[in-house]
């Protein structure tokens, strides 16, 4: 049997008129007051599910990843790769969605645009995302031109794009052809004005093409995150990792080399300057190891060799230097075919050139998580706490569907999840948490409100999450958090001064058997107070509910004989 626990929410006035209308036909359930004391989430270790052909040894220094369940999401766009600048802010590209009411899309061939944003704040849970507009640059002869390598160094912003296309043989797959990098545009004033790249899709930075079945190697490249203003770069150079493939492919498949799938990872480096960044002659490429087992670098692109290989498992790649641990962390998305669940895995190494060891293989992360990276700004002083930055669930069936989000909080946005990078002792401490009962009932798996779609009749501006998608407006009422300390509006719902019409509705993908509902008023006792309401169920039944406790230190528990429902409303 399951419970529906609605964490703190508010309806501005009351349901008096509705109550009078239903008074003759709506019985009461059994009501009781239940004291409540918030407890933190139990950290959950993501079970690593290794494919049989995994080529990496397991790490003994970072043996797993635990999600603390502290998370946040911002905007309705993806492609976030923050760069920590000397002014203390982070800057990133973005696209295919909205920041507030400003829109940007990178498809459309000649009309492709890429967005620019400033990320302000030191607390991942309370960031300000400011759009700095967008820039147009043609993708032709490809159909998409998207953000990739992003670096702000010495006050200069370097912003690269890459090209992608559809494959007519598999039109159902997402951007199945990976193309080249048409260079960098440059800003000297943190994105106020830009100088366009002198290169183009037909004259790219690296001598590569995605046309006629050709395979690129420096696909969707990203700068290695060396901290604030490249603080920890070993030589003052900027390093780039990209994913690609070689011919012949030992296990060919359709859409093998796409924006999110491939076979190999490659590495390049350059001394960042406006004069160097679009000049391939200033780059060096990783070319394997010499007889002394040291990395070999060459300015000859034709000599480039893979840094990492795992056939059919190496899609979009990012790398961050974790300075406290003196470790390089690499996040890789295994996302083929680009329209279904995606896997994410994390590797670690003492050196940028390996050898690489496996931290975790997170099957179905997101469940459709991608563009995963560790922003260096949010790594703790001991190196063991970090925040995963990613986007998720863009495709139909996933988009705006919080019932498939895993971990909770994953959506099409700039998503941030706090994680612990576990040593062996902490892994033993946390590994069985998924079998333990949460001390806080709101955070228990028995609380099916955590997995419901939520729709509200309106929302007050102060309580509106950072999204323009109405599907997410009411999530603060069912996120498992009653914030008695800060009374943050992010963890509650308030209608926009509605009276009788104010309503919140929860919907499940399949019938759920329930027998109990917890209702919380907002912790702020000065604003308003819910004195009555009406529960309406998908089976046609209704229950009148009396006054709720007015400070959220207790809830109104409404219990009733078990019933199967697909939705309920209050």
């Amino acid at each position: 049997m399951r419970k529906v626990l609605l964490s703190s929410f508010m309806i501005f006035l009351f349901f008096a008129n509705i109550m009078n209308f239903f008074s003759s036909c709506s019985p009461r359930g059994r009501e009781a007051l239940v004291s409540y004391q918030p407890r933190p989430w139990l950290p959950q270790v993501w079970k690593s599910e290794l494919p049989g052909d995994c080529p990496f040894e397991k790490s003994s220094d970072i043996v797993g990843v635990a999600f603390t369940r502290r998370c946040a999401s911002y905007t309705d766009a993806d492609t976030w790769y923050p760069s920590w600048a000397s002014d203390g802010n982070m800057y990133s590209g973005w696209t295919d969605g909205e920041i507030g009411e400003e829109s940007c899309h990178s498809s459309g061939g000649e009309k492709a645009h890429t967005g620019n944003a400033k990320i302000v704040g030191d607390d991942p849970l309370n960031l300000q995302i400011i759009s700095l507009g967008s820039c147009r640059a043609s993708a032709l002869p490809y159909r998409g031109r998207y953000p990739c390598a992003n670096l702000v160094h010495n006050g200069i912003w370097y912003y690269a794009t890459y090209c992608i296309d559809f494959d007519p043989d598999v039109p159902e797959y997402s951007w199945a052809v990976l193309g080249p990098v048409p260079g960098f545009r440059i800003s000297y004033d943190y994105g106020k004005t830009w100088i366009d790249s002198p290169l183009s899709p037909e004259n790219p930075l690296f001598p590569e093409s995605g046309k006629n079945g050709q395979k690129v190697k420096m696909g969707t490249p990203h700068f290695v995150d060396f901290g604030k203003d490249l603080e920890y770069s070993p030589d003052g150079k900027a390093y780039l990792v990209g994913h690609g493939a070689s011919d012949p492919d030992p296990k060919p498949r359709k859409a093998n080399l796409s924006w999110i799938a491939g076979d190999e990872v490659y590495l390049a480096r350059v001394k960042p300057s406006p004069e160097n960044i679009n000049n391939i002659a200033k780059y060096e490429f990783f070319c394997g190891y010499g007889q002394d087992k040291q990395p070999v670098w060459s300015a000859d692109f034709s000599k480039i060799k893979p840094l990492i290989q795992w056939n059919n498992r190496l899609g979009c790649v990012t790398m961050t230097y974790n300075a406290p641990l003196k470790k390089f962390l690499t996040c890789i998305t295994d996302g083929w075919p680009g329209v279904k669940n995606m896997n994410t895995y994390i590797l670690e190494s003492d050196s940028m050139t390996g050898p690489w060891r496996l931290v975790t293989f997170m099957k179905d992360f997101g469940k459709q998580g991608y563009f995963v990276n560790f922003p260096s700004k949010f790594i703790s002083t001991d190196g063991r706490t970090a925040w995963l930055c990613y986007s998720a669930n863009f495709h139909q069936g996933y988009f705006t569907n919080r019932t498939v989000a895993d971990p909770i909080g994953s959506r099409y946005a700039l998503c941030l999840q706090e994680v612990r990078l576990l040593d062996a002792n902490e892994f033993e401490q946390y590994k069985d948490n998924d079998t333990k009962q949460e001390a806080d009932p709101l955070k228990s798996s028995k609380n099916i409100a955590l997995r419901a779609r939520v729709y509200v009749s309106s929302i007050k501006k102060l309580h509106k999450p950072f999204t323009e998608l109405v599907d997410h407006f009411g999530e603060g009422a069912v996120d498992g958090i009653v914030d008695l300390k800060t009374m943050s509006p992010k963890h509650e719902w308030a209608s926009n001064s509605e009276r009788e019409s104010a309503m919140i509705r929860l919907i499940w993908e399949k019938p759920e058997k329930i027998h109990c509902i917890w209702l919380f008023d907002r912790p702020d006792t000065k604003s308003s107070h819910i004195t009555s309401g009406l529960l309406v169920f998908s089976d046609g039944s209704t229950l009148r509910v009396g006054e709720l406790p007015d400070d959220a230190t207790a809830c109104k528990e409404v219990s009733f004989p078990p019933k199967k429902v697909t939705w309920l409303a209050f």
Side-chain angles (χ1 to χ4, degrees), residues 138-425:
S138 175
L140 296 178
Y142 301 86
R143 277 178 278 188
R145 184 168 174 174
Y146 279 74
C148 56
N150 176 68
L151 174 68
V152 184
H153 179 55
N154 290 338
I156 302 173
W157 190 348
Y158 304 96
Y159 189 134
T161 55
Y162 69 98
C163 295
I164 47 178
D165 213 339
F166 291 103
D167 184 341
D169 291 338
V170 282
E172 70 276 17
Y173 289 177
S174 170
W175 294 117
V177 175
L178 181 57
V181 176
F184 290 81
R185 50 182 166 91
I186 300 172
S187 175
Y188 291 90
D189 52 15
Y190 292 107
K192 294 178 181 178
T193 59
W194 290 90
I195 299 172
D196 290 339
S197 170
L199 306 173
S200 69
E202 292 182 298
N203 179 33
L205 175 60
F206 308 116
E208 304 183 295
S209 171
K211 291 296 184 180
N212 303 314
Q214 297 179 73
K215 304 291 193 301
V216 302
K217 291 178 169 58
M218 289 299 296
T220 70
H222 301 107
F223 283 108
V224 177
D225 186 344
F226 277 113
K228 188 177 184 179
D229 209 27
L230 286 182
E231 177 181 3
Y232 296 104
S233 171
D235 49 16
K237 294 180 180 179
Y239 287 73
L240 289 153
V241 285
H243 77 279
S246 300
D247 279 326
D249 189 336
K251 295 181 179 179
R253 59 181 178 176
K254 293 291 185 181
N256 179 64
L257 183 55
S258 72
W259 65 283
I260 206 66
D263 300 328
E264 299 159 343
V265 169
Y266 294 85
L267 181 65
R269 66 185 184 187
V270 64
K271 187 76 172 178
S273 73
E275 297 74 27
N276 292 352
I277 203 73
N278 285 306
N279 183 356
I280 191 174
K282 301 297 183 178
Y283 282 75
E284 291 182 305
F285 305 96
F286 175 76
C287 300
Y289 301 93
Q291 291 183 348
D292 59 359
K293 297 184 180 180
Q294 295 301 305
V296 175
W297 296 87
S298 172
D300 185 349
F301 184 81
S302 68
K303 295 181 179 179
I304 194 170
K305 291 185 179 180
L307 174 70
I308 305 172
Q309 293 177 288
W310 189 3
N311 197 73
N312 293 350
R313 295 285 187 181
L314 285 167
C316 183
V317 57
T318 65
M319 190 184 297
T320 299
Y321 182 63
N322 185 321
L325 295 183
K326 295 182 171 57
K327 293 283 188 182
F328 288 89
L329 301 176
T330 292
C331 300
I332 299 173
T333 302
D334 167 25
W336 185 87
V339 293
K340 299 180 180 179
N341 289 5
M342 297 181 178
N343 309 315
T344 291
Y345 59 100
I346 300 171
L347 306 176
E348 64 88 356
S349 176
D350 300 326
S351 166
M352 198 182 339
T353 54
W356 295 94
R357 295 169 289 271
L358 185 76
V359 173
T360 184
F361 189 97
M362 300 187 292
K363 187 175 183 295
D364 299 336
F365 174 74
K367 292 189 177 294
Q368 195 182 60
Y370 57 99
F371 299 159
V372 184
N373 59 93
F374 283 111
S376 60
K377 183 175 182 177
F378 299 141
I379 295 176
S380 65
T381 55
D382 69 352
R384 289 291 176 177
T385 299
W387 290 76
L388 269 184
C389 173
Y390 64 103
S391 296
N393 303 337
F394 75 94
H395 203 257
Q396 60 188 15
Y398 297 84
F399 190 68
T400 71
N401 185 357
R402 70 186 299 268
T403 69
V404 303
D406 189 15
I408 290 173
S410 303
R411 70 174 181 89
Y412 188 75
L414 189 172
C415 299
L416 291 166
Q417 293 273 350
E418 186 184 52
V419 299
R420 291 286 298 168
L421 304 173
L422 305 176
D423 60 21
N425 291 333

Side-chain angles (χ1 to χ4, degrees), residues 534-552:
L534 183 74
L535 285 166
V536 183
F537 301 92
S538 60
D539 64 0
S541 62
T542 59
L543 287 175
R544 290 180 288 130
V545 178
E547 182 179 10
L548 304 188
D550 66 354
D551 64 357

